[in-house]
Structures are given as C-alpha cells and as structure tokens.
Amino acid sequence: MKDFTNEKVSKEYNKFKKMFVIGLLSIVLANLALVWYATKETKSMHQLILDNVEEGKKGHIDVTNVSDYFAYYPGDRNKFYFVMDQEDYLYIIRMSPSNDTKLINTLEKDEIAKIDGVTKKIPSDIKEIALEVYNEMLEAEENEPITVDDFENYFGAIYLDLEANPFGIEELALLLIFLLALFGLGFGLYGGISIWRFKRKINKLTTEEREQIDQEMNDSNAFYYANAHTYLTTHYIVNFASTFEAIPYSDVIWVYQFIQRRNGIKASQSVIVMTKDGKRHTIATLNGLTKKAKDVFDEILETIAKKSTNALIGYTSENRKQVKEKIEK
C-alpha cells in the first residue's frame, strides 16, 4: 500500500487483494471444470454392456429404430421399448410418452437420434416379456426364436432408463463445481468491494492527513489491537476491520457500547462512535467472551472515551436527545 509505510495497513489491504484473486481463480477454475463436464462424452450402451457395467452408470445410444412399447408396470406412465443402433445392436430402454414422441419425431427428420439415460438391471419379468414379444417378431419373419440363455447375447443384462436421475460421482462433481463458483463469486465480490472501499476512504484524505496518520501509527505511543484491527494513536482512531477509517477524536460526538446477543447469550460487543456529521462507525468488534477479550475491549472503550473530549459517553435516552444538537447541519 504505497500511501502508508505502516505494515499493518499494507497487510490488511493485501488480504483483500488475495481474497479477490482467490475468488477470481475459483470462478475461472469452476468454469473450466464446467466446460470439461459439459463436453465429457458418456459411454455408449454397447461399450457399457461389453464392460459388464451394472446399474447407475450414464450411457447413450445412437438410435436408428424404435419399436412400440412392449411392457409397462400398472400405474407407471413410463414404458419399455426395443431400440436399434447404427451397428444393428438391440437394446431395451424405458422412457415416458413425451420422450417416445420426441424420439419418433427426431427419427422422422434425421437418420439417427441420440438418447441419454442411466443403466439399470433388466428385471426378470421384463426379460420374460421381452423374450416373448421378440420371439413373436422373429416368428413373423420366419426366423428361429432365441432362448433364455441367448437373451443377454442379444440385449445384454441392463437397459437404459431415460427417466432416471441418479446422484452419483459425476453429479457430486457438478455440485462441487457449483459450490466452487459460488464461493469464488462471494469471496471475490467481498474482496473487490473491500479494495474499492479501502482505497476510496484513503483517497478522501489529504496528503498531509495520510502522512500524519501514518506517522502516528508508527509512533511507539500508538496502541494496536490485532483482534479488533484497530490503532488508537495520539489524534486518531484508525480501524481497518472491513475498510479503512481514520476518525479524529475531535470529530467524535458520541461513544457507546453495543452488545449483540444470540438466544440471550452475549455473542459479540462493539464500540460505536458517532461523528459530528451524524454517521455511526463500528469500531473494535470482539467476539471473544474471555476475560482477556473483555479487558482489551474495556481498554479500547475507555481510551476512546477519554480522548474524545467533546463526546457523550454511554447509550442513554438523555444522550440520544443531546446528540442531535451536536450534529453539524
């Protein structure tokens, strides 16, 4: 941070820069992974059968022909069909009426229609019906019927279900990609906005003010509270927990403690200061409930109250009324 020689300021500013870069890299990485996922080709049904794949694997068939449905379970709108690919291999698939219509319409326009689904083991009852129906088709063409032992040589042991949506390794990878992109977006936005706010606040200071604040932070009389990201110098409260703020004690018109509770238990405590322009500034938020954290907080509160000689101290109804008169119009 070229405006300040103080290493704490540079460290805080660089922290936001790192957040922005990490967020940006996460988004780029997520997009690259998404492109890879989108272009990754699933295996053909024929290859899956040769690999002795069982259930739950994604596959595709380049269909050239589809039969009428030959079986379905009562109450289930999805039905079983025979399909043939370019190599004249036969497969059993399960699909909805809408996918059936879509497939037929595609085949009327094109010679090949690619379908995607998930492998499932062919149930014994579907196998029996498929064998019976297919043998009737062979008899009509005066061909020898196939036996139960030959079934898997014709159709394999699995069918392709176009209606299944499994949550497997690939889906988990897609979820992780989404979470990575979400993390990158949030992290990068926070870092980018923090950089912008940090620089905007510093740019509002004159060169003389920057030099004085830098000199006072580097002075041995200044106190730095690491957990609160706050300097208390001779003339300034310098806080950079989320942005850069340098508040002259002479501008402070009200100082009070703010306690945040969750389920009735104290979760954090902050020092709130109001400046003469009517703006409230949150200083030194501490989450710890230990005695050490309480001592540090009390020290910060007492020091600010002591140095802010024109300020009202404490959150009371009387101070709420009086502070309005101190705000510069």
Side-chain angles (χ1 to χ4, degrees), residues 12 15-16 190 198 228-230 239-244 282 284-285:
E12 291 295 324
K15 179 185 73 176
F16 295 133
Y190 181 80
F198 209 93
H229 304 273
T230 299
N239 177 260
F240 32 77
S242 60
T243 184
F244 184 91
T282 301
T285 297

Side-chain angles (χ1 to χ4, degrees), residues 33-47:
L34 193 61
V35 169
W36 170 82
Y37 182 85
T39 56
K40 184 174 178 289
E41 183 72 21
T42 58
K43 283 189 176 183
S44 69
M45 188 65 170
H46 181 63
Q47 187 60 51

Side-chain angles (χ1 to χ4, degrees), residues 66-73 76-82 93-95 97 100 104 129 133:
V66 58
S67 71
D68 292 332
Y69 71 86
F70 67 85
Y72 67 93
Y73 290 108
D76 188 356
R77 60 194 296 272
N78 304 314
K79 299 177 173 65
F80 290 87
Y81 302 76
F82 297 119
I93 69 168
R94 174 178 174 268
M95 62 180 171
D100 178 29
I104 291 171
I129 297 171
V133 172

Side-chain angles (χ1 to χ4, degrees), residues 260-268 289:
Q260 185 176 17
R261 297 181 183 275
R262 293 193 183 97
N263 299 321
I265 300 172
K266 184 193 289 186
S268 66
L289 300 177

